[in-house]
Amino acid sequence: MVGGLQHWIEAQRARPSAPTRAWYWTLAFGVATLLFGFYLGQVFPQAGHDIAPGYGAPVLAFEFADSQADLEAIFGFFTDPQQVTRLAAMRAGNEQDYLYMLLYAGFLVSGCIALWRELRLRPILAAAALPIVAALADSYENWLLFDIQAAFTAGDYSPAMSSLPTPVVAKFLLLAATNVVIGAAAMQMGRWWSLFGTVAILAAIPTVMAIITPAAFAWALIPSAAGGWILLLALAAAGSWQAWINNRPLVDFDRAIVEPATLPVTAATRPTFGRRKT
């Protein structure tokens, strides 16, 4: 099986250049991810009771919560009339978040496949596994959050809180690594794509800062992820246009190098004077 897969990958590297239809899937998943992301952001609670400003959205504060005091800062005390509203909004958002996981995983996986078909670099194909594992970590994280929220609602402490950092850190690091791969691939595709690829790679740096000090930098996680996602969406739009309108790949892998024209070389002749002897 492994040998067959290796043979197939090598055959794909040797194939002639052709339009990359995977860009269509990438563009469709990307637009759906963007639109559903905007909607989902309105489902989650818009403000916490007393969270640190560096968290930004209350859902990020919830993901990095590690004590009852953190939960009280997010949802408020039982005497707070807004506590029930915040709890209901958080649960509704996390329930619908499962659809968002499928959308962003589909977007990033199809994007990595499209980039691999354009550039034919095996590390890009291997990177398609990163968003899949990130989505699995995200789903496990949500399962823990449901348990933590249910215990908090009942006035209890959930042991799941001690396990929460593992999937949270894994999810954000895997998504950042995917963005680095996208940026590095873009740097192989020309001057302007190289510029945007560099920006996407640099945008992944705040993810590490947010994981180390979430109370100060968690807000940066969203723009950090957006750097690579916007670049991939632009690549998908350009690749889809090339495939549909021009019937060409985004990267002309088989483009021939035009050699400079050369004059025909003639054998040097020795000058003669007078009548030529016969």
Side-chain angles (χ1 to χ4, degrees):
M1 180 177 177
V2 175
L5 179 61
Q6 178 71 18
H7 177 74
W8 179 79
I9 292 174
E10 292 301 327
Q12 292 299 307
R13 277 185 60 86
R15 67 179 174 81
S17 288
T20 303
R21 311 296 180 185
W23 285 127
Y24 298 154
W25 287 102
T26 307
L27 183 61
F29 273 119
V31 172
T33 300
L34 181 66
L35 295 177
F36 191 75
F38 280 133
Y39 160 76
L40 190 60
Q42 303 304 310
V43 175
F44 282 108
Q46 302 302 299
H49 172 69
D50 189 26
I51 61 175
Y55 282 114
V59 62
L60 292 175
F62 191 24
E63 291 180 5
F64 285 99
D66 60 4
S67 67
Q68 289 294 97
D70 289 339
L71 298 179
E72 291 168 352
I74 298 166
F75 299 111
F77 299 95
F78 69 94
T79 56
D80 188 337
Q82 294 298 314
Q83 187 197 68
V84 174
T85 301
R86 295 190 189 103
L87 287 168
M90 189 69 75
R91 183 170 186 86
N94 281 327
E95 288 173 346
Q96 298 179 49
D97 194 29
Y98 285 102
L99 176 57
Y100 187 62
M101 297 173 203
L102 293 175
L103 291 176
Y104 78 65
F107 172 50
L108 296 174
V109 169
S110 58
C112 287
I113 292 174
L115 287 169
W116 168 66
R117 289 189 64 83
E118 293 280 0
L119 298 171
R120 313 186 192 192
L121 299 174
R122 280 178 289 184
I124 299 177
L125 180 61
L130 297 178
I132 296 176
V133 181
L136 292 175
D138 202 354
S139 64
Y140 176 52
E141 169 200 312
N142 268 22
W143 182 77
L144 295 176
L145 291 175
F146 285 135
D147 188 88
I148 293 169
Q149 183 172 334
F152 177 78
T153 304
D156 297 328
Y157 172 81
S158 171
M161 192 173 294
S162 61
S163 303
L164 184 60
T166 300
V168 171
V169 171
K171 174 186 71 173
F172 286 121
L173 287 181
L174 287 167
L175 292 178
T178 306
N179 281 353
V180 169
V181 172
I182 293 169
M187 294 177 68
Q188 311 297 317
M189 304 174 69
R191 181 183 304 173
W192 287 108
W193 291 123
S194 180
L195 173 62
F196 298 138
T198 302
V199 173
I201 292 174
L202 294 176
I205 296 176
T207 297
V208 179
M209 299 166 55
I211 291 173
I212 295 174
T213 316
F217 298 108
W219 63 270
L221 288 167
I222 294 176
S224 178
W229 292 19
I230 292 173
L231 171 59
L232 184 58
L233 190 59
L235 286 166
S240 298
W241 176 270
Q242 285 287 77
W244 184 39
I245 302 298
N246 298 325
N247 198 34
R248 293 176 52 191
L250 186 58
V251 177
D252 193 354
F253 192 83
D254 293 333
R255 182 174 55 192
I257 300 175
V258 180
E259 297 291 343
T262 57
L263 295 176
V265 178
T266 58
T269 58
R270 185 176 181 180
T272 59
F273 299 95
R275 184 187 302 177
R276 177 177 299 176
K277 296 180 180 181
T278 58

